[in-house]
Amino acid sequence: MRIACPFCGEREVGEFSYLGDASPKRPRYTVDDGSDPAALEEAFYDYVYLRDNVAGTMREYWYHGGGCRSWLIAERDTRTHEFKSVQAAPGAGASRAALPGE
Amino acid sequence: MSGYIESQPLGRTSAKDDAAGNTQATGGTQSHRLRAGGLIDRQAPLGFTFDGKAMTGYAGDTLASALVANGVKLVARSFKYHRPRGIMTAGSEEPSALVEMRTGARREPNTRATTQELYDGLVANSQNRWPSLRRDFMAVNSLLSPIFVAGFYYKTFMWPAKFWEKIYEPMIRRAAGLGKSAEQPDPDHYDKAWAHCDVLVVGAGPTGLSAALAAGRIGARVIVVEEDTQLGGRLLGDGGEIDGMQAGEWVRRAETELEALPNVRVMKRTSLFGVYDGGTYGALERVNDHVPVPGPHQVRQRLWRIIARRSVVAAGSIERPIVFPGNDRPGVMMASAVRTYVNRFAALPGRQVALFTNNDDGWRTVEAIRRAGGEVSVVVDSRGQVPVEYQSVVKASGLRVLSGCVSDVKGGVDGVRGVVVTGADGRRQEVAADCLAVSGGWNPNVGLSCFHRGRPAWRDDIAAFVPGDCPPGMRMVGAAEGTFALGECLRDGHAAGVSAAVDCGFAEDAGSAAEAGDEGYAISPLWQVQAKGKAFVDFQHDVTASDVTLAQREGYESVEHLKRYTTLGMATDQGKTSNINGLAIMAATTGRSIPETGTTIYRSPYSPVAIGAFAGHNRDENFHAWRLAPSHHWAAARGAVFVDVGLWKRAQWYPQPGETDWLQSVSREVTTVRNGVGFCDVSTLGKVDVRGADAGTFLDRVYINAFSSLAVGKARYGLMLREDGIVMDDGTTSRLAEDHYFMTTTTAKAGPVMQHLEFCRQVLWPELDVQLSSATDQWAQFSIAGPRTRELLQALCDPAEDLSNEGFPFMGAREVKLRGGIKARLFRISFSGEMAFEISVPARFGNAMAENLMIAGKPFGVVPYGTEALSVMRIEKGHVAGPELNGTTTADDLGLGKMMSKKKDFIGRIMAGREALAAPDRQVVVGIKPLDRHRRLRSGAHVVPKGEKPGPDTDHGYVTSVCFSPTLNQWLGLGLVTRGRERFGEIVRIYDPLRSEDYEAEICSPVFYDPEGVRQRG
Amino acid sequence: MGDFSWTSQSPLQKALVPGVHGAGSVPGVELTEIRNILLVQVMARRGNAAAAARIAKKLFGIEPPSRPGAVFGKGVALVWSGPDQFLVFAPQGDGSLMERIADAFAGIASLSDQSDGRCLIRISGARAAQAMAKFLSLDLDDGVFPVGAAATTSLDHTAINIWREADAAGETPLYNLAVFTSFADSLYRVIADSSLEYGLRSS
Amino acid sequence: MKYSIFSLARAAMTGHRGWTRAWRDPAPKSRYDVIIIGGGGHGLATAYFLAREYGIRNVAVLEKGWIGSGNAGRNTTIIRSNYMLPGNVGFYELSMKLWERMEQDLNYNTMVSQRGIINLYHSDAQRDAFARRGNSMRINGIDAELLDAEQIRKELPFLNYSNPRFPIMGGLAQRRGGTARHDAVVWGYARAANDFGVDIIQNCEVTGFQRTNGRITGVETTRGPIAAGKVGMAVAGNTSRVASMAGLKLPIESHVLQAFVTEAIKPLIPGVVTFGAGHFYISQSDKGGLVFGGDLDGYNSYAQRGNMPVMEDVCEGGMAVMPMIGRVRMLRQWGGIMDMSMDGTPIIDRTPVDGLYLNAGWCYGGFKATPASGLVFAHLIARDEPHREAARFRLDRFRRGAMIDEKGQGAQPNLH
């Protein structure tokens, strides 16, 4: 399997490590912002544990740790292993992130 | 060698060569070697032995062709019935002629005689027989064959139950298997390499060569892989005419042109075995299998990962057998193989050859045999009429032609004696023959197109499967795609080469394809001859036509069930010659069509690959890379005992003269530190530079405790959780400047923590200005511990440095100057619980620092200590480490719950609050003291309440870490125990049935030594 | 007590045995350890990539690479090591260069001194690329990896930096490999073993 | 027809024409009391136990392809009960006990072979972890032995004892561990369930669920709708796909695990051996092939095939611990879709959807669990309460923080 790192170009899968589904977003909160603790726990439960696990195109995290140490967000078909797109995580490099994190 | 000129194709031989005496007795033992012709070098005779019998062959021979030339018919025994078997094919699809190559540590089972190049001194033996190939006792299985049908073992060997492991199975295991593997480590070397190209051409027959020439001429980077030792493919066996010249001449010119192109690389002796994602292809190069032993610094085989943007697969096709009784006798050979042995190897498989065919192509064999001086005793064509272009030949030569089928083969271990022909009219007659050439038509080699689970498509006109959807970037051409006319193959190959190159951005300008005739190929399929007797479908696994129908009868109808129930196609040839016949018979039995019946999944490797090749250099001590600490060589010189910790080699302890066991050494190291001073290389700890305006905020979010509030010049212990609330790692982090923190992690988690931090930085909080870099290898870091640490350091540091409690308080961190002018980072932190510092200097000074610490500490009796002493002291202090941070413990389990900040979000905070993680009955860290203080405590022993019977409900935890504390003169341990903190003082049972131990111990606070922490502040 | 001596060590002190090894009389691969180097990782602060590049230009007289590649100036090379990151590679010298770099980039880029964190192995020779094909998955074809090319990749599952310099004498290609110091002993073994069949001269 | 040497001999006289189908090929009825989705080992075993233990015989097993076409036919056939944590220990031992009487229960030779399994250790830390595990086993009445290097050398003389990296220090042995013939397990349960009247329906893919005010009342299939009192899912590998038809989102990912077999050779490796310092485990089949495997490829996949890096990684492990297999050739490689749960432990529970029952999350441990999985799942479906030995395999354990995490890797499936 080969992954086209947007910075380094196409590389062996062995240079990357995999984290999984990039769709769940870490809930944002500040302590004592009045949000219901149970709801917050539920939201984190979803984030940490529940997965769509699609048979088809999936948005997922890869880390080019054996290369430029950038976190990447790829779209890949889990039935064929074909990559549709590979993008850098918002915070890769030094550009000021327009949007907040994933 | 000018083999081609001599080994002419159909009907071009001179009267002289036609003399019946063409085969010669000279050339040593080679009774069936032709006097002239073939791509062999008669000037280079080679000696070899088979089953101890000395024979000779020539350079250019395979083991199989040499055996044919020596008139050897019986080569092997089959897997199940131990039937005598000979050589069936001349290629890598060979199901029968498997031998044990070489001896001793290089013994190699199941090698195909048909692909093994002959070399001088080659030693081969037959396998799966006892005591000898001719007289094999296991042939008794053949008598039991009425019972040993497909799946018989599922129906029996069940009573009495205990007999299975003791009697039945050992019996079966001994009988099963083919050759014997070596029992010593493989002495040969292997390596692996990468190659990159625009166009990968698989197979160098006419189609592949045509494709390679086209793509190469346009300028594409081309790699051609060919499993054979020579280019040419079927041309080597069948000759022919291309661009008005001998096929051999055309091949030679093509090879010369390809070699001249700098952008083309031709790899012979290289088999493509797999197709993987992203245009990755696996290939095996047999670098030195054609010599007795690889030369110095040479590898036996090399595994290639070829990265290609496009591939043109011209893998050719395989001639298929026909299923009829006796079709497995030694001397029954595929017609194309007969032609290959005659034309390429100048070896005559039989002097009196019968031919059984259902298609025109088989007829080419007639001329090959006759030209070689052999007699064609009969041609049996199931179609009932002679193909037009052969009618003149038949008339002229009075060739005996029968319309019908071969319904039995006479013969035994010595091979074929005759064939029984049943005519269309049902009349049976026997015809003498010492070899039967069979042609059931051609199966395109679709395998590679199916390795991404694609399914092939059926074509009625050629009665064969052709490639369906290919993997991305792959195109199948030529015979592999069902095109059999030479001219068409050349044109298709050319076109495929051009379009592949054009896909890679090259201009279309490759001239035109070579030209040759377009003789058609007509077949009317015949799969099975209905007649009495064992008719084999899978030759190696002894699967017969009746096994297939039995499977159907019992409901194992799906082709996958058929395969798994009868083992059809599961032999070392993966059914290359048997699968299609098997499912054709299944189709006939069920009344479904062949495409409806479908094929099994094709699985790589296309041809088997040695495990050693997949490992390459990474075996034995090179299995994984190793990491050495900066003072490694210094420690080694002092006789330190090392241990593998992850990839690191770490000094465990430093034995001294007179010490008889590790415990003595470790206790001495501990005692010296507790009473004087010692040092330990702790450079293996992960070190991360965390820089940037928001570094503090960033650390607040990854640690459970606060770091933005940490003053510059201070260090703090930090704990980080996984997002699921479980402890991930701990360490000390210092603030060296407003915008610069220096983090340390555990040795084991350095990598994962770095990855996690980058995730937080790049994915979770890109708005923060933080930069991370690993400094683990930059620094040689030593822990210096013991009451006299300060004195040692004063000797080492510039006199101007104030190391007093006031000038350098506990948890202080700053840069200092050392005598001799270099700078170091000094941290006043303690893992041992003693007055201690950690000092870092650039890694290049690792050995020097160790030396200097010895010098500076000499007056105070300094010793180096290893990881064992380190561990003893941390246990005495109740500091948690790996065994407690086991991936299932929470901060509170470790007694660190109070560190969790209530004021901020941090990784893991919310999930850590889940009910079961906050439950009062969790197992928490405690201290454990055996009542008998000299009773050795062992990690992994379990904790059971006193007086209770050990069982699931009384299993209250286990011992995580132990040590003998020379300080307290007793064995100590840490453990994870249910409600442990409420149970200090309780006497429990330490239960260790694995080591037959069972004794009592007291649960206590995990901090055994200096609980107030006076010493480290002193 | 007098001063202490601080002799520096090489991580290859055991692994690299100077001399000619392996097959043949004419070594196809040359391995040289480059000692006493200055290697600084420069990571632009958020929003300061351009500013960092300007400072580099001012300091070294060359633009740092914005994509994988190596730029060579007077006695210094700037080597791409990640998005908005580059390595400054120069002789160790008297340490004053490091101070100049630190002052120049203060507040604009974060620095990480890797002079001791990496071991620099130089590979050249007619068969160098063939040997490297055994331990690097990169396409080293001249058209793909010409002089001035650079990459961060893996060697035996370990991250390394590689960049290609002007060809050595005899037009044989010349590559620099910066490997982690603690791995150097192990990775040198891989590199040397891969070279033996072509003949190896090490120094 | 009863299978035995006698029936076999009798059949031989008539050229084996007397044998009948091992299981019927019925058309689906319009309604069943229980429908099991998935004709793998677990599904068929569930149907068998529903009929045998709980008297529920109006049962259909629906299989989208041919029975055993999923992980039942793609594993490395290892059976063992060397687990450590409460919830796992008892369950896998129940399974082991059922393996030990399987041939007699099913009258089908599934070749259960208790040649033993040895997990090698290479460090003190590993030894301690194995000691903890082995003691857990013994406390639960399961056989376990901690062997030192010398004992290992006696039993497995062919291992590489001169390797300076990760030297072999000993191993944890379970003598009752071993292997079984995976396809035979599928066919044996199919035949036995069939004899109880269970309908085994192949080439029948479930395409949706029928629901009446929330409750599952049947399934839509490629062979038409079928009504059911209760529906059980045993479709490991495709759990998320099927569950999503019922609107469920689960703590499961699908990953590919590769396995490999070599050409057949004469007996070389007695039992099952696992390498503790790398990803490699191996055994030898009765046919003679070395069956071996290692780690997951590591990325979500439904492709049922893997890539080269893992093949290399596994063979490197093999050549580190037993370099005498270097010249033995790999014959076939294949990949199974693992139902990876978030703690490495299965889920056997009711679902939030009334009438729908879940048997999932087997990770790479499904084969050894086959008999017990069938029994406890049948119990759950029949009694609407978890079987005693599966009481902790609850779906809500992640929500509650009651994970059963033998490896301590947390919510990252590709690390389990």
Side-chain angles (χ1 to χ4, degrees), chain B residues 243-258:
Chain B
D243 279 352
M245 66 186 98
Q246 279 289 323
E249 181 53 25
W250 180 81
V251 169
R252 218 169 358 254
R253 292 187 188 186
E255 183 165 13
T256 313
E257 180 178 353
L258 290 173

Side-chain angles (χ1 to χ4, degrees), chain B residues 108 110-111 128 146 154 165 169 173 188 192 276-277 305 453 553 604 609 612 624 914 916 942, chain D residues 16 67 109 113-114 132 165 181 264 266 286 304-305 307 312 316 326-327 329-330 333 398 400:
Chain B
E108 179 191 315
N110 311 338
T111 296
N128 193 34
Y154 299 127
E165 278 91 349
E169 189 184 39
R173 288 175 78 84
D188 289 340
K192 300 187 266 191
Y276 304 94
D277 290 309
R305 302 87 141 197
R453 302 180 64 82
R553 197 173 303 132
S604 59
V609 179
H624 277 173
R914 285 176 291 171
H942 282 236
Chain D
H16 297 277
I67 60 169
N109 188 352
S113 172
Q114 297 179 291
R132 176 196 177 192
R165 294 309 302 289
R181 173 82 178 92
K266 291 296 178 191
D286 285 344
Q304 290 193 321
R305 57 182 181 81
N307 277 288
E312 297 176 37
E316 288 164 9
R327 305 178 92 85
R329 301 186 195 90
M330 180 195 295
Q333 66 171 126
F398 304 96
R400 288 183 292 113

Side-chain angles (χ1 to χ4, degrees), chain D residues 206-282:
Chain D
V206 169
T207 55
F209 290 96
Q210 299 174 334
R211 303 169 72 155
T212 329
N213 43 48
R215 184 185 169 83
I216 297 282
T217 54
V219 295
E220 304 289 344
T221 80
T222 50
R223 294 173 68 169
I226 310 175
K230 295 174 174 181
V231 176
M233 283 172 52
V235 293
N238 291 289
T239 301
S240 301
R241 281 206 261 192
V242 178
S244 67
M245 298 177 196
L248 294 175
K249 190 171 176 182
L250 299 170
I252 285 175
E253 290 183 5
S254 296
H255 285 260
V256 56
L257 180 67
Q258 299 190 62
F260 314 89
V261 64
T262 68
E263 296 178 343
I265 55 176
K266 291 296 178 191
L268 183 71
I269 294 173
V272 182
V273 181
T274 74
F275 179 36
H279 308 122
F280 176 75
Y281 61 92
I282 190 167

Side-chain angles (χ1 to χ4, degrees), chain C residues 119-141:
Chain C
C119 169
L120 196 85
I121 301 168
R122 181 162 289 170
I123 305 187
S124 63
R127 314 291 294 277
Q130 263 167 292
M132 291 164 80
K134 298 186 195 177
F135 53 81
L136 292 181
S137 59
L138 295 176
D139 185 352
L140 294 171
D141 182 80

Side-chain angles (χ1 to χ4, degrees), chain B residues 79 105-111 128 146-147 149 152-158 161 164-165 169 173-186 188 190 192 273 276-277 300 303 305 451-453 541 550 553-558 560-561 564-565 570-572 574 603-605 608-612 614-615 618-621 623-626 644 646-647 649 722 724 886-888 914-917 939-942 951-952 958 991-995, chain D residues 3-5 8-9 12 15-17 19-23 66-67 73-74 103-104 107-109 111-115 124 128 130-132 134-136 138-140 144-146 160 163-167 172 181-184 187 202 262-270 275 277-278 284-288 292 303-308 311-312 315-317 319-320 323-334 398-403 405 408-411:
Chain B
F79 184 84
R106 287 191 169 85
R107 186 172 60 203
E108 179 191 315
N110 311 338
T111 296
N128 193 34
I147 286 184
V149 291
F152 76 96
Y153 32 76
Y154 299 127
K155 299 190 173 94
T156 180
F157 300 128
M158 285 178 281
W164 176 250
E165 278 91 349
E169 189 184 39
R173 288 175 78 84
R174 265 195 303 279
L178 292 160
K180 288 198 263 354
S181 89
E183 278 142 21
Q184 302 89 40
D186 188 345
D188 289 340
Y190 300 82
K192 300 187 266 191
F273 63 78
Y276 304 94
D277 290 309
R300 177 193 171 214
L303 187 95
R305 302 87 141 197
F451 284 164
H452 282 203
R453 302 180 64 82
H541 270 174
L550 172 62
R553 197 173 303 132
E554 294 192 89
Y556 302 93
E557 272 170 330
S558 143
E560 286 287 349
H561 283 157
R564 291 154 184 264
Y565 191 65
M570 295 179 87
T572 64
Q574 288 224 60
R603 300 198 183 282
S604 59
V609 179
I611 289 172
F614 277 110
N618 295 83
R619 58 178 283 190
D620 304 318
E621 71 271 26
F623 162 54
H624 277 173
W626 56 85
D644 295 286
L647 296 181
K649 295 273 181 192
R722 302 188 307 226
D724 68 354
N886 63 8
T888 63
R914 285 176 291 171
E915 67 180 76
L917 292 183
S939 298
H942 282 236
Y958 70 104
Y991 186 60
D992 194 350
L994 273 186
R995 289 164 289 205
Chain D
Y3 289 163
S4 75
I5 184 65
L8 197 57
H16 297 277
R17 286 187 182 69
W19 295 113
T20 54
R21 301 185 67 96
W23 62 86
W66 40 278
I67 60 169
R74 300 171 180 278
E103 280 92 359
Q104 289 65 34
N107 175 234
Y108 201 100
N109 188 352
M111 302 185 188
V112 173
S113 172
Q114 297 179 291
R115 302 195 306 281
D124 294 354
D128 296 346
F130 280 153
R132 176 196 177 192
N135 279 326
S136 294
R138 294 283 287 270
I139 286 172
N140 286 269
E145 292 170 46
L146 197 64
N160 180 4
N163 190 347
R165 294 309 302 289
F166 311 107
L172 178 68
R181 173 82 178 92
H182 58 2
D183 294 322
W187 301 332
Q202 302 186 84
T262 68
E263 296 178 343
I265 55 176
K266 291 296 178 191
L268 183 71
I269 294 173
F275 179 36
Q284 186 168 14
S285 76
D286 285 344
K287 218 168 114 251
F292 62 102
Q304 290 193 321
R305 57 182 181 81
N307 277 288
M308 271 179 95
M311 301 169 66
E312 297 176 37
C315 293
E316 288 164 9
M319 290 300 283
M324 90 291 194
I325 62 174
R327 305 178 92 85
V328 181
R329 301 186 195 90
M330 180 195 295
L331 177 62
R332 281 194 308 279
Q333 66 171 126
W334 62 93
F398 304 96
R399 184 67 186 80
R400 288 183 292 113
M403 293 76 72
D405 189 346
Q409 294 289 8

Side-chain angles (χ1 to χ4, degrees), chain B residues 631 634-635 679 782 845-855, chain C residues 6:
Chain B
S631 69
W634 176 86
F679 66 89
F782 293 79
F845 300 122
N847 291 336
M849 177 55 97
E851 287 292 354
N852 292 335
L853 287 168
M854 289 304 287
I855 295 166
Chain C
W6 297 99

